[in-house]
Amino acid sequence: MFKNYIKIAFRNLYKNKGYSAINIGGLAMGMAVAIMIGLWIQDEFSFDKYHQNYGRIAKVMQTVDFEGEVFHGGYMPAPMGSELRNHYKDDFKYVVMSSFNSEHILANGNNKFTRKGNYLSAEAPEMFSLKMLKGTRAGLKDQASVMLSASVAKALFGAADPMDKIIKLDNRHDVRVTGVYEDLPYNTEFRDLTFIVPWDLYVSTQDWVKNAINNAEWNNNSWQVLTQISDHADFETVSSKIKDIKLKHAPEIAFAKPRIYLLPMSQWHLFSGWDKHGLPDGRIQYVWLFGIIGIFVLLLASINFMNLSTARSEKRAKEVGIRKAIGSMRSQLINQFLSESMMVVALAFVLSLLLVVVLLPVFNEVADKQMNVLWTSPWFWVAGIAFSLVTGLISGSYPAFYLSSFQPVKVLKGAARVGRYAAIPRKVLVVLQFTVSVTLIIGTIIVFKQIQHAKNRPIGYDRTGLVTVNINTPELSSHYNVLRENLLRTGAVMEMSTSSAPATEMNSSNSGFEWEGKDPNFKENFGTIAVTHDFGKTVGWQFVEGRDFSRQFSTDSSGMVLNETALKYMKMKRPSDIIGKTVKWQNTSYTVVGVIRDMVMDSPFKPVEPTLFMVNYGWANVINIKLNPTLPARESLRKIESVFKVINPGSPFDYKFSDEQYAAKFATEERIATLASTFAILAIVISCLGLFGLASFTAEQRTKEIGVRKVLGASVANLWALLSGDFVVLVVISCVISAPIAYYFLNGWLLKYEYRTNISWWIFASAAVGAIVITLLTVSYQAIRAALMNPVKSLRSE
């Protein structure tokens, strides 16, 4: 009997090839989107699970309440590690001090390149459960040692054994390879940790770090502390024990209410974002967003399937009557309809897997992932098969249980009618489809509008042709003047300078400043950037009042420039109130020479921080170079590289364009916008497939009506309006419903950005007009085709 069901099902699919293609193709498309979103969500939740101690690893964090805003920070003072290790040893199995992942130069003879690595305590490899290919996890015991990832070891030594070989780190330190570990997976916080050097080497060679530890500087937050709690401990209890550590050692910052706590590794990726009120605002919101989108896209495809299945099943009433007349039982008819439905779903599921295999590489590139189909996961197959069964049963239930109940005598006499209200459920489902689709379109437009709004924001400097080079060797810092003279002589460089941070990054903030008229109760916090005299000419900052630094004025050796926000922050009404005045900090008096327009150095979606730029040649981390705009960039970089190789022969010439670094600040929002727009387009396509099928069915149902109307004088335009009007009304209703829904959710999303666009009326109008035009284009083919049909053919049977 089952074989007979399958044979009849195939015959029906083949007989109605158009409907079958729409049914299977639409459902497969929806299932493919749901599978890819499911893989994305699974990847997000599996972040960092590579580490065996995942459930017990944590990052030491702190919160401070500053002028009513709550800030969460992951950088700690240098003494924090020894404090936890010595006074809370029962609560921690490992306490690991960490600098931060940054680029360093690795060299084996003439083989030199830059890679990201970190200075970590010796227990780090054990805590992170690195998979060792050579050596052991105890490889950082020796201060002059290094552990390499497999890819870096291969890049440095090729097929040769790297163990016990000596390499040069940053042209300063000779370190011995004591271990090679497997490259960390893409979905871990430490995926770019390509080598590890002992924390002790960092301390012994960096005087400022050594001083911070020896002098117990509890207000210098420049390092990370990573921990693994003891087997008997829990995060909440340990956090309550250590919450007042900083307050105990630095009571002078009691006004900021510092609180220390542990952030478990399980929360690093999805739950480590906070708004200005200290409320969670991490990537979990995107997991929820795409999860909902995946469900809705799948729902749209299922609605198509159910609509077309029920619509076509009404034409099979006579088939039911004949089968029952010759002895078919109702249970057999139910099984027949359900079997056909299950077959369509099964074919769609197979096709969706093929689509996923083809599209997953593109999806990975857009989503910045390295996902694979989980062929060996039981849960993957359970979810896929379960959905197929549920969809097949639901969509097949109407023809199976409703049509099989018809009495054969009434059906064969033509007395059985589906009823005037039979189309209402289908219309409701079409409205639901387009409500979801239009909401996604509105959301996509607003997301792109917000990104463009931030991109069009004045940034206060000229990033065109601005290049930065990290100072990671002593040769660059000690021979800076010679380097500058030689570069300017090439004609490829307009101007250059050094600074403690590139123009696209705010990496330091400080307090403890004093100036005339300051409120003694005011607790300030300024972004602080150390620069050389030529920084302003290099980046092209714009003055509101005052002047740039100049070597002609001896006072400028300790000069200072403020941005507009700093002026307001200091309660100054006019730039002239501060220009020429003295600002004291760390026993040094700085003379303010000018006020500049705000430079957007941090997030383009946030307000600019009050920032002070101070002349200081000893606090240089990057070289800023302004390329000559009259020369091709490639030629300029070639000339610059030749000079760098003379001054700094032991290092590769690695540079970054500031416009590319600034563009990277939009990466997350643009990725979300691209994915959302892709899903919105797919939702519209799936909805239109269903609409096309329903329009075809409606035109077929009303063939005789169209013939009569044509005989009575109806024009093609009249008939087109008649057949298209019903669908347009449904889409208009969808637009009316989607507008307030989209506004509510997207207004809430925009509120998390302090620098944000507004939601304009034209967005809703554009989405509505677009949906109506797409609807007309979709149904017009079937409507015009039916209107052009010869009425003689449709009325011949009468």
Side-chain angles (χ1 to χ4, degrees):
M1 184 62 73
F2 182 73
K3 182 179 178 182
N4 183 57
Y5 293 156
I6 297 297
K7 186 182 293 184
I8 294 174
F10 265 117
R11 286 176 179 171
N12 275 316
L13 289 176
Y14 184 76
K15 180 181 177 182
N16 302 289
K17 292 185 282 291
Y19 290 103
S20 300
I22 292 173
N23 249 342
I24 296 172
L27 188 57
M29 198 181 300
M31 294 172 83
V33 170
I35 290 171
M36 287 192 288
I37 290 179
L39 292 174
W40 185 85
I41 292 174
Q42 189 273 338
D43 185 83
E44 290 288 297
F45 276 108
S46 64
F47 228 82
D48 290 320
K49 287 189 177 179
Y50 165 88
H51 307 285
Q52 295 174 6
N53 305 311
Y54 165 82
R56 309 204 70 77
I57 295 175
K59 185 187 299 181
V60 181
M61 301 282 291
Q62 65 174 314
T63 63
V64 294
D65 190 332
F66 202 83
E67 295 187 340
E69 293 189 19
V70 179
F71 298 92
H72 291 252
Y75 286 94
M76 294 288 123
M80 181 64 77
S82 57
E83 177 76 10
L84 297 179
R85 204 177 286 115
N86 297 331
H87 296 91
Y88 301 89
K89 55 186 177 183
D90 291 338
D91 296 303
F92 295 101
K93 186 172 183 179
Y94 301 118
V95 176
V96 171
M97 290 299 298
S98 165
S99 55
F100 48 88
N101 272 21
S102 58
E103 292 182 344
H104 297 267
I105 299 170
L106 302 176
N108 174 33
N110 293 323
N111 188 11
K112 304 165 188 173
F113 49 77
T114 302
R115 290 290 186 275
K116 279 192 174 182
N118 204 345
Y119 291 94
L120 295 169
S121 300
E123 303 89 352
E126 187 65 43
M127 187 174 81
F128 294 147
S129 55
L130 298 182
K131 296 177 182 177
M132 302 304 298
L133 304 178
K134 293 181 182 293
T136 69
R137 293 175 181 167
L140 298 181
K141 300 290 186 183
D142 179 11
Q143 181 173 298
S145 60
V146 63
M147 295 176 67
L148 307 175
S149 66
S151 58
V152 168
K154 184 177 181 180
L156 278 171
F157 299 99
D161 186 358
M163 292 297 290
D164 294 321
K165 298 289 196 311
I166 303 297
I167 65 172
K168 182 79 77 174
L169 176 67
D170 290 335
N171 285 353
R172 299 180 185 180
H173 317 300
D174 288 327
V175 289
R176 182 173 59 89
V177 179
T178 56
V180 177
Y181 56 89
E182 180 181 271
D183 283 5
L184 292 167
Y186 204 68
N187 63 340
T188 175
E189 195 85 7
F190 303 99
R191 68 187 184 192
D192 56 358
L193 184 66
T194 61
F195 69 90
I196 308 173
V197 192
W199 170 261
D200 291 342
L201 177 64
Y202 179 63
V203 174
S204 66
T205 57
Q206 302 283 339
D207 290 338
W208 70 287
V209 182
K210 193 184 304 179
N211 292 335
I213 295 174
N214 295 337
N215 299 332
E217 296 179 3
W218 281 89
N219 283 332
N220 185 351
N221 301 297
S222 299
W223 302 276
Q224 287 186 316
V225 182
L226 308 172
T227 67
Q228 181 178 330
I229 60 174
S230 303
D231 294 340
H232 65 273
D234 65 86
F235 295 117
E236 189 173 341
T237 302
V238 177
S239 292
S240 66
K241 289 182 180 180
I242 66 175
K243 64 184 176 66
D244 293 324
I245 285 180
K246 191 169 182 182
L247 190 59
K248 181 175 70 174
H249 290 281
E252 66 275 10
I253 61 169
F255 67 89
K257 303 174 186 175
R259 182 179 66 86
I260 306 298
Y261 68 99
L262 298 180
L263 182 70
M265 182 178 267
S266 59
Q267 297 181 20
W268 290 5
H269 184 64
L270 294 177
F271 300 93
S272 60
W274 299 271
D275 63 16
K276 64 181 180 180
H277 304 295
L279 300 174
D281 185 31
R283 284 180 64 89
I284 188 63
Q285 62 180 324
Y286 297 122
V287 172
W288 284 111
L289 171 66
F290 287 119
I292 292 170
I293 289 176
I295 291 171
F296 275 117
V297 170
L298 197 55
L299 178 63
L300 298 183
S302 301
I303 288 173
N304 275 358
F305 184 37
M306 288 185 279
N307 269 349
L308 293 177
S309 295
T310 55
R312 294 301 301 170
S313 65
E314 292 172 9
K315 298 199 65 169
R316 301 179 66 181
K318 287 186 178 180
E319 176 190 339
V320 171
I322 293 172
R323 282 176 171 273
K324 294 188 81 169
I326 59 177
S328 284
M329 294 183 291
R330 187 182 181 192
S331 61
Q332 292 175 320
L333 293 169
I334 290 173
N335 290 335
Q336 172 65 53
F337 283 116
L338 289 179
S339 297
E340 291 181 16
S341 179
M342 295 302 299
M343 177 178 291
V344 171
V345 175
L347 291 172
F349 181 58
V350 172
L351 181 57
S352 71
L353 292 178
L354 294 175
L355 287 174
V356 170
V357 171
V358 172
L359 298 176
L360 194 57
V362 178
F363 184 69
N364 275 333
E365 186 175 347
V366 173
D368 189 29
K369 295 283 187 183
Q370 290 184 357
M371 300 178 295
N372 296 300
V373 182
L374 305 175
W375 300 114
T376 59
S377 171
W379 291 108
F380 174 78
W381 294 107
V382 167
I385 293 171
F387 168 77
S388 300
L389 287 172
V390 170
T391 305
L393 289 173
I394 292 175
S395 59
S397 59
Y398 175 83
F401 293 99
Y402 179 64
L403 294 182
S404 63
S405 65
F406 284 175
Q407 296 180 14
V409 175
K410 289 184 177 181
V411 171
L412 296 176
K413 288 174 65 177
R417 290 289 182 269
V418 175
R420 60 182 296 188
Y421 300 108
I424 290 179
R426 287 198 293 277
K427 291 181 178 180
V428 171
L429 291 176
V430 168
V431 169
L432 176 59
Q433 273 188 315
F434 273 87
T435 298
V436 173
S437 300
V438 173
T439 301
L440 286 175
I441 291 173
I442 294 170
T444 299
I445 294 172
I446 291 176
V447 171
F448 274 113
K449 188 170 182 280
Q450 169 65 6
I451 293 171
Q452 200 57 46
H453 179 69
K455 284 185 173 182
N456 293 336
R457 181 182 186 180
I459 63 170
Y461 66 98
D462 183 11
R463 61 178 183 267
T464 306
L466 186 61
V467 174
T468 60
V469 179
N470 288 334
I471 299 176
N472 47 19
T473 65
E475 289 82 1
L476 288 179
S477 54
S478 61
H479 297 91
Y480 169 71
N481 290 331
V482 176
L483 177 68
R484 186 172 187 277
E485 290 174 9
N486 289 343
L487 284 176
L488 291 175
R489 199 177 295 128
T490 64
V493 175
M494 296 291 291
E495 192 52 82
M496 66 177 290
S497 62
T498 69
S499 58
S500 59
T504 55
E505 185 178 331
M506 176 65 70
N507 62 5
S508 176
S509 61
N510 288 279
S511 57
F513 293 87
E514 298 291 337
W515 62 90
E516 183 183 339
K518 177 188 175 184
D519 184 344
N521 296 319
F522 180 51
K523 304 299 182 183
E524 81 291 344
N525 188 58
F526 289 99
T528 46
I529 306 294
V531 300
T532 51
H533 284 83
D534 307 294
F535 180 79
K537 291 189 284 291
T538 306
V539 302
W541 58 15
Q542 303 157 14
F543 277 86
V544 176
E545 195 168 320
R547 61 172 176 83
D548 204 344
F549 299 121
S550 173
R551 289 184 174 84
Q552 296 178 359
F553 299 95
S554 59
T555 54
D556 282 11
S557 60
S558 56
M560 177 181 285
V561 166
L562 317 179
N563 67 357
E564 288 179 286
T565 300
L567 184 75
K568 298 172 185 174
Y569 189 63
M570 297 168 76
K571 307 294 191 294
M572 301 289 178
K573 294 181 180 179
R574 297 174 298 276
S576 57
D577 294 339
I578 190 66
I579 292 176
K581 302 294 177 61
T582 298
V583 175
K584 295 181 180 179
W585 184 57
Q586 292 186 348
N587 301 319
T588 302
S589 295
Y590 295 90
T591 302
V592 179
V593 299
V595 176
I596 60 165
R597 298 194 185 281
D598 288 338
M599 288 176 60
V600 181
M601 301 182 70
D602 210 348
S603 170
F605 300 103
K606 294 180 180 178
V608 174
E609 290 186 37
T611 308
L612 311 178
F613 299 86
M614 303 169 289
V615 172
N616 188 325
Y617 280 71
W619 188 11
N621 293 321
V622 297
I623 296 173
N624 309 287
I625 300 172
K626 186 71 169 181
L627 300 182
N628 187 339
T630 62
L631 294 178
R634 182 176 298 178
E635 181 182 341
S636 295
L637 291 171
R638 180 179 54 79
K639 291 182 178 182
I640 294 170
E641 183 177 12
S642 64
V643 175
F644 266 86
K645 284 185 176 180
V646 172
I647 303 295
N648 191 31
S651 306
F653 175 57
D654 285 326
Y655 59 88
K656 293 183 177 69
F657 279 98
S658 292
D659 54 358
E660 293 177 354
Q661 289 180 290
Y662 188 77
K665 295 177 182 292
F666 300 92
T668 298
E669 280 73 15
E670 287 185 326
R671 191 171 293 122
I672 297 302
T674 302
L675 291 174
S677 61
T678 302
F679 296 142
I681 291 170
L682 288 172
I684 284 290
V685 169
I686 291 170
S687 299
C688 288
L689 279 175
L691 209 57
F692 183 83
L694 285 178
S696 174
F697 172 73
T698 302
E700 185 180 331
Q701 263 194 331
R702 302 176 71 173
T703 300
K704 288 185 172 59
E705 177 191 346
I706 292 168
V708 172
R709 287 178 178 273
K710 288 197 74 172
V711 169
L712 295 175
S715 66
V716 172
N718 294 143
L719 295 172
W720 170 79
L722 174 71
L723 294 173
S724 303
D726 290 344
F727 294 106
V728 171
V729 169
L730 296 179
V731 174
V732 170
I733 294 172
S734 300
C735 294
V736 172
I737 295 172
S738 66
I741 296 173
Y743 181 85
Y744 175 79
F745 286 105
L746 289 159
N747 186 58
W749 176 74
L750 282 174
L751 287 176
K752 76 173 189 171
Y753 297 105
E754 295 182 62
Y755 186 83
R756 57 181 176 268
T757 187
N758 61 324
I759 301 179
S760 307
W761 65 269
W762 63 263
I763 296 174
F764 302 97
S766 300
V769 170
I772 292 170
V773 169
I774 291 171
T775 301
L776 288 173
L777 291 174
T778 303
V779 302
S780 288
Y781 171 76
Q782 294 292 354
I784 294 173
R785 181 169 171 266
L788 292 174
M789 187 180 296
N790 188 344
V792 175
K793 291 184 178 180
S794 58
L795 298 175
R796 184 179 296 162
S797 61
E798 300 294 328

